[in-house]
Amino acid sequence: MVSPDTSRKISLAPLQGITDYHFRNAFNTHFIRIDKAYTPFLRLDKGDIKKSQIKDVLPENNKGLHLIPQILTNSVDEFIYFSKYLSDLNYKEINWNLGCPFPMITKRQMGSGLLPFPEKIEHILEKVLDIIPTKVSIKMRLGYENDGDILKILPILDKFPLSEIIIHARVGKQMYKGKPNIEAFEKCVGLSSHNICYNGDIDSVATFDKLNKQFKNINNWMIGRPAISNPFLIEEIKEGKTISASEKLERFSSLHSYLYEQLTGNLSGPGHTLSKMTHYWEYFSKSFSNSRKVYKKIKKTNTFSKFEENIHDIFNNEEWVA
Ligand SMILES: Cc1cc2nc3c(=O)[nH]c(=O)nc-3n(C[C@H](O)[C@H](O)[C@H](O)COP(=O)(O)O)c2cc1C
């Protein structure tokens, strides 16, 4: 069992379509308070930020959260625009996405698609950092196609005042497949004088313990998918406590009701709400016995009443196994 360690910070990773303000608030009010959360990336669409993305960052929708908005861009002007816009909303830091692996993004040299071009990263930081009103942190992968990219980038980043570098220890081409490359991450730690945060597949207390032992100087950790499948994971890591399966099911059920109520109150019609709930259940189902059957049941649902009936069924007949 891990002993509580208050210097250890664990943040909730951004997941587009999942960790929106409904989810962040549900999580933050029903489980351990999150040290930090990041919004899924904001992007300019024909010069504007989408309404749904604006809603997601509005401070009134994110009360009680230490939230850092994330941006996706390779343009100096857009970077400056975002920083000013978010500073006007009172944000002190923005996070630059250099990790997105999707071809639509990478082929335009954004996200992890910018990693093979260290000189462009340097140029953007040189142009923006002195004049923008917010601090900047970076979330990046090891590289786009190979993990050598980051070895060229970290010495450049050392020249700039960044608040943190979060490293998802995969390359872009891997998408979310295969394993994080811990050896490559280890090389990065020695190459940077910035605060480094580790991210990638921290899927259990045991995995966390192993990484924590290996990287004694790392105090910042980020967890995404495993904390959505099992929202107790961060609490178990931070507080070192064991929570019974029945308590977990009860507390999860309460988070679930809150999330469902928030969505039914805010989204229009069953189609939108149920597709969103299905998205969440892709992850939640992993913590239940018969997880595939559970997910299938939710996926097939197209009315509120059937959804509620299925949820009742799952909570009464399946066990929490995570
Ligand atoms: C569906 C999905 C959406 C994601 N959206 C974002 C995003 O908007 N910004 C970002 O930096 N990372 C995004 N990620 C990557 C996660 O933040 C995280 O780096 C990755 O899942 C590895 O961490 P994990 O193993 O703890 O989930 C996304 C991942 C998934 C699976």
Side-chain angles (χ1 to χ4, degrees), residues 208-224:
F208 175 80
D209 279 349
K210 196 166 164 227
L211 288 165
N212 190 38
K213 260 193 207 129
Q214 185 173 351
F215 298 108
K216 294 210 164 51
N217 294 330
I218 300 284
N219 279 320
N220 298 302
W221 306 86
M222 173 181 268
I223 309 185

Side-chain angles (χ1 to χ4, degrees), residues 51-111:
K51 273 197 184 130
S52 59
Q53 298 192 335
I54 293 179
K55 219 169 162 186
D56 197 48
V57 286
L58 286 178
E60 63 259 37
N61 291 333
N62 290 286
K63 287 183 188 146
L65 272 165
H66 179 184
L67 184 67
I68 298 172
Q70 186 186 67
I71 64 164
L72 180 85
T73 185
N74 60 5
S75 141
V76 167
D77 290 343
E78 285 187 8
F79 208 123
I80 296 168
Y81 175 84
F82 274 124
S83 174
K84 288 189 174 151
Y85 182 88
L86 293 162
S87 169
D88 286 345
L89 292 177
N90 223 5
Y91 287 102
K92 308 282 181 258
E93 178 183 331
I94 60 175
N95 179 263
W96 189 21
N97 179 318
L98 292 179
C100 182
F102 292 105
M104 289 266 284
I105 301 290
T106 55
K107 71 178 183 212
R108 297 171 64 194
Q109 294 185 0
M110 288 194 281

Side-chain angles (χ1 to χ4, degrees), residues 13-18 39-41 70 95 97-102 139 141 168 170 176 199-202 222-227 279 283:
L15 269 79
Q16 200 70 245
I18 307 271
T39 68
F41 63 75
Q70 186 186 67
N95 179 263
N97 179 318
L98 292 179
C100 182
F102 292 105
K139 180 166 180 281
R141 293 196 179 217
H168 174 194
R170 282 189 172 85
Y176 295 96
N199 169 240
D201 294 25
I202 304 177
M222 173 181 268
I223 309 185
R225 295 162 302 168
H279 223 110
Y283 293 91

